[in-house]
Amino acid sequence: MAGESSSFHLLEERIQRFIWSEGWEELRDAQEQAIPLILKGDCDVIISAATAAGKTEAAFLPALTHLLAAGGEGLIVYISPLKALINDQFGRLDRLCEQLEVPVWPWHGDVSASTKTRFLAKRHGVLLITPESLEALLCNRGSSVAAIFKHVTFFVVDELHAFIGSERGKQLQSLMHRIERALNRQVPRVGLSATLGDMKLAGGFLRPGGEPAQVNSESAGSELKVLVKGYEEPLVVQGEKDGNEEDDEPVTPGQIAADLFKVLRGSNNLVFPNSRRQVERYTHLLNKMCEQRKVPNEFWPHHGSLSKEIRTETEAALKQKELPATAICTNTLELGIDIGAVKSVGQIGPPPSVASLRQRLGRSGRRKGEPAILRGYSVEDALGPNANLREKLRLDTLQMAAMISLLVEKWFEPPRVQGLHLSTLVQQLLSSIAQTGGASAGQLYALLCGPGTPFTGLTKQEFIELLRHLGQKELVVQDSSGVLLHGRVGEKFVNHYSFYAAFASEEEFRVVAGGRTLGTLPVDQVLLPGQRILFAGKTWRVDEVDEQQKTIYVTRAKGGVPPAFSGGTGRTHTKVRQRMRDLLDASTELAFLDETAKKLVAEGRDAYVRLNLTTEFAIDQGRELILLTWLGDSANEAIACLLIRRGFVATASGPGVEVVKGDRSTENILDALEDAAVDDTPPLDILLADVKNLAREKWDWSLPEGLLRKAYASLYLDLDEGLAWVREATAARRD
DNA sequence: GACCTGCTGCGGGATG
């Protein structure tokens, strides 16, 4: 190592000795690159490297060297999205830091108050903390913030991609910013991630307006093996049931479980079936198979609704080396908690995104010379006389194939940094008032919305409008000298511990039909009267949405035909949809598909040709017209809004937009599209005037309508892309 | 027909 590594010699002597004693043969590429950059302690750095490529060491070896060179009284603040990750990192760092005589302080909700008190007395070393705990520190110890963080030398943000695009990410930006403002100096920020689609965008997230130094360590091109198996769920013929409940169960999960049992036993693996319900179903099937064959169980469940004990048990089964273990899990096992390497990753149904698939696959093939193995399972319904467009085109299988082909090309979705997250601005305003004991509107605007701040771009006029609105809601009040304080309601929120999280716990609408509650529905879809929803196995028409009572009133829709597209998982990017269309349009063989999956793709291609989809984009389905755009969800939703504004009932749905025809013809709808194409781009207040239920984030309920529309559009609508499609599509029609 | 994350201060009582 001494001869080849230049960075090794830059490290503090005791750190060098630690590396020798660990028996590391060489520094990893990311570490070699990052050490000289971080060592200087004067710039932001973003490190993108594969899982287990030693990213945390790449940050900490030089950061600790820098800290020791400055006399050892400095503080490194490491911020993690998970408590479990803090516990893991504490174990890894504490051994090294003990030899350096640098204290390591874990700080999250499960950490004892005595540890926290001891840190507050010492204030140096390495602090491992969550955004929520940091928020609590700023809120409750506002007057000491400058003293507590006086000697901070670095912010290290782990799993950066897990923060981008969410309220929590905006909160993190704001917390680091507020500490810097309290100190009146910049603190170098180091961001770590395995999955950043666009380093420039991620850099702008790490520091608004910033351009950090980049360390991009491509994984040494470890080989990827992929096999996708197709399955066809037979049609249930009406009248054939004999009352035996077993007959109602789909048959493909049993077939898939049998395959998993056969190929996964004897090794460690992860299987992602995309929902908690499916996790339960597959774990149950696999446990039964182990039992029937009188072999020890090797299959363990892991998802967010399971108790901590059960989750820990599954993690322990994966970690121990004596017996093989496979976890059936949701994305709880996507982030970097320590479960060791796995042989293969199973994916049942299309993954939520290419980035997520890549993150999942990062758990496999981590040892030198071993390939990463992906086993995909794709299920389609057998085609009957009533098959809808989605089924005919075999869209799930196409999406799986498109995502894998993009993964192989090393493409994945860029981080979604465009969201304004004004919900979090409300939280940060209330928290800043707690921190300072009160502040003027001008001070708060400069702190949170000025140049280089997390909420830059909000005009002073909009800010005043927001403050007025918060005043009406009694979240803030202004005293006679103009200082803003907590209002009666604001006080209540801030003084409860639930205030520290920037994200809301799941909120659901009740679905009511004729005075009877059918159940609850999570609020993640635009709803307006006239829309049809699928719920409890039946189709309904939405009559009224009561946002105060959080209730959706529905009546049975005639016919009972389920919607042609029923929305997918996650938000699908335009690039994925275009790849799906390219695959339908081509005849190339996809080598990673088995015979059944190939047959399914061939059927999709046949339907694509038969329906003339090479040239036609408007597909008449009788009750609805489907506009097949092959765009991402944000563009489709923008197109739906353009039509809603012109009096239609339209919904973004899968690769297109579904428009209810009612008493209007296909020509009427296409005429409206043409009008939208030639008109000026409508302002949001007009575009979203009739759309209800825009509130998505924790504090959205407290925003004035105009800002709520702006916040919603920033995250969910791509009007430019939608309009570009409308113009192109209607131009083709005129020709 | 998705999924995930997080949480303080204080008072009362027991124990060393």
Side-chain angles (χ1 to χ4, degrees), chain A residues 29-264:
Chain A
D29 178 44
Q31 297 163 352
E32 284 285 351
Q33 289 187 57
I35 287 168
L37 290 170
I38 294 175
L39 204 54
K40 293 184 291 177
D42 63 358
C43 66
D44 299 332
V45 181
I46 196 157
I47 304 175
S48 170
T51 324
K55 281 191 298 292
T56 27
E57 286 79 7
F60 275 104
L61 299 179
L64 285 165
T65 296
H66 179 272
L67 185 138
L68 291 167
E73 292 303 294
L75 175 66
I76 299 168
V77 177
Y78 163 96
I79 304 157
S80 153
L82 299 178
K83 290 189 286 192
L85 215 49
I86 287 179
N87 299 341
D88 281 355
Q89 299 294 8
F90 178 75
R92 286 169 74 177
L93 273 173
D94 203 43
R95 273 187 324 122
L96 164 65
C97 288
E98 207 176 347
Q99 300 185 26
L100 306 176
E101 295 173 75
V102 170
V104 183
W105 311 97
W107 184 313
H108 56 64
D110 302 341
V111 171
S112 71
S114 65
T115 303
K116 295 174 182 172
T117 314
R118 279 189 292 131
F119 165 73
L120 289 172
K122 294 249 166 94
R123 300 171 181 180
H124 68 96
V126 181
L127 177 66
L128 310 173
I129 195 166
T130 61
E132 288 74 20
S133 286
L134 208 47
E135 186 77 67
L137 261 177
L138 294 199
C139 248
N140 300 325
R141 301 169 198 273
S143 54
S144 320
V145 167
I148 294 168
F149 295 101
K150 185 168 182 205
H151 297 295
V152 62
T153 53
F154 293 98
F155 288 122
V156 179
V157 181
D158 205 355
E159 305 279 5
L160 191 68
H161 67 276
F163 287 111
I164 304 181
S166 72
E167 302 146 279
R168 211 177 177 207
K170 193 48 87 178
Q171 174 188 32
L172 172 64
Q173 283 183 332
S174 182
L175 292 168
M176 293 191 289
H177 172 73
R178 284 165 60 197
I179 294 173
E180 288 186 354
R181 282 292 167 96
L183 297 172
N184 206 18
R185 66 178 167 93
Q186 281 202 359
V187 178
R189 302 180 186 179
V190 181
L192 312 177
S193 180
T195 316
L196 295 168
D198 182 315
M199 292 283 272
K200 220 179 150 71
L201 288 175
F205 172 82
L206 186 63
R207 182 185 298 279
E211 289 186 14
Q214 295 176 9
V215 172
N216 196 353
S217 176
E218 284 290 316
S219 58
S222 85
E223 190 197 348
L224 173 64
K225 285 189 177 173
V226 186
L227 176 65
V228 176
K229 292 191 173 182
Y231 290 81
E232 207 167 3
E233 180 65 42
L235 278 176
V236 178
V237 182
Q238 293 293 324
E240 262 190 21
K241 288 180 200 165
D242 55 7
N244 186 345
E245 275 193 23
E246 294 269 307
D247 289 354
D248 291 347
E249 289 290 309
V251 302
T252 40
Q255 297 167 358
I256 292 173
D259 190 69
L260 292 170
F261 183 83
K262 195 177 75 190
V263 296
L264 301 187

Side-chain angles (χ1 to χ4, degrees), chain A residues 9 126 188 319 328 412 489 660:
Chain A
H9 296 285
V126 181
K319 256 189 267 189
I328 318 296
F412 50 100
V489 179
V660 176

Side-chain angles (χ1 to χ4, degrees), chain A residues 229-510:
Chain A
K229 292 191 173 182
Y231 290 81
E232 207 167 3
E233 180 65 42
L235 278 176
V236 178
V237 182
Q238 293 293 324
E240 262 190 21
K241 288 180 200 165
D242 55 7
N244 186 345
E245 275 193 23
E246 294 269 307
D247 289 354
D248 291 347
E249 289 290 309
V251 302
T252 40
Q255 297 167 358
I256 292 173
D259 190 69
L260 292 170
F261 183 83
K262 195 177 75 190
V263 296
L264 301 187
R265 253 172 45 87
S267 59
N268 281 21
N269 308 276
L270 296 178
V271 178
F272 293 91
N274 288 350
S275 74
R276 288 179 281 209
R277 241 187 77 173
Q278 299 294 344
V279 166
E280 295 294 345
R281 166 182 273 168
Y282 281 101
T283 309
H284 180 67
L285 285 166
L286 287 158
N287 289 172
K288 257 198 324 202
M289 287 177 186
C290 291
E291 207 175 290
Q292 280 162 1
R293 286 164 183 76
K294 302 199 168 27
V295 295
N297 179 47
E298 292 182 20
F299 300 93
W300 308 77
H302 200 284
H303 63 70
S305 298
L306 290 171
S307 68
K308 204 177 156 183
E309 287 68 36
I310 295 177
R311 287 157 73 165
T312 310
E313 196 176 69
T314 298
E315 291 160 27
L318 287 165
K319 256 189 267 189
Q320 57 82 32
K321 303 258 155 48
E322 281 73 44
L323 296 166
T326 289
I328 318 296
C329 57
T330 58
N331 50 6
T332 43
L333 286 184
E334 219 179 83
L335 291 183
I337 42 175
D338 182 18
I339 51 161
V342 300
K343 188 174 175 194
S344 73
V345 170
Q347 174 65 52
I348 305 174
S353 67
V354 183
S356 164
L357 180 61
R358 188 184 149 112
Q359 187 75 19
R360 291 171 179 187
L361 209 50
R363 295 285 189 165
S364 161
R366 284 157 47 167
R367 294 197 196 92
K368 263 191 176 161
E370 278 184 14
I373 299 172
L374 173 63
R375 300 177 182 281
Y377 295 87
S378 188
V379 182
E380 302 279 355
D381 288 338
L383 294 175
N386 298 325
N388 63 37
L389 193 55
R390 182 179 70 86
E391 289 160 352
K392 285 181 193 156
L393 289 172
R394 302 315 204 177
L395 287 184
D396 278 358
T397 305
L398 261 299
Q399 187 170 333
M400 178 91 102
M403 287 177 142
I404 290 170
S405 81
L406 289 166
L407 176 86
V408 168
E409 291 168 21
K410 295 193 189 299
W411 179 90
F412 50 100
E413 293 84 358
R416 300 179 65 224
V417 293
Q418 77 282 22
L420 294 174
H421 305 292
L422 297 179
S423 158
T424 304
L425 173 57
V426 175
Q427 184 210 28
Q428 293 301 301
L429 278 168
L430 292 171
S431 176
S432 298
I433 290 171
Q435 183 188 344
T436 54
S440 73
Q443 285 167 331
L444 289 168
Y445 182 82
L447 175 69
L448 297 170
C449 306
T453 66
F455 301 97
T456 186
L458 200 75
T459 66
K460 282 187 181 160
Q461 200 183 347
E462 286 170 325
F463 189 72
I464 298 296
E465 188 195 338
L466 172 62
L467 289 181
R468 283 218 186 93
H469 205 75
L470 298 182
Q472 280 168 24
K473 304 264 179 202
E474 291 190 80
L475 289 169
V476 298
V477 286
Q478 199 161 29
D479 75 7
S480 53
S481 63
V483 170
L484 289 158
L485 304 167
H486 293 143
R488 185 183 64 86
V489 179
E491 188 87 42
K492 272 193 194 159
F493 278 112
V494 177
N495 287 336
H496 192 265
Y497 62 82
S498 59
F499 175 73
Y500 309 125
F503 55 88
S505 303
E506 217 161 290
E507 189 179 48
E508 297 191 313
F509 273 45
R510 281 194 312 144

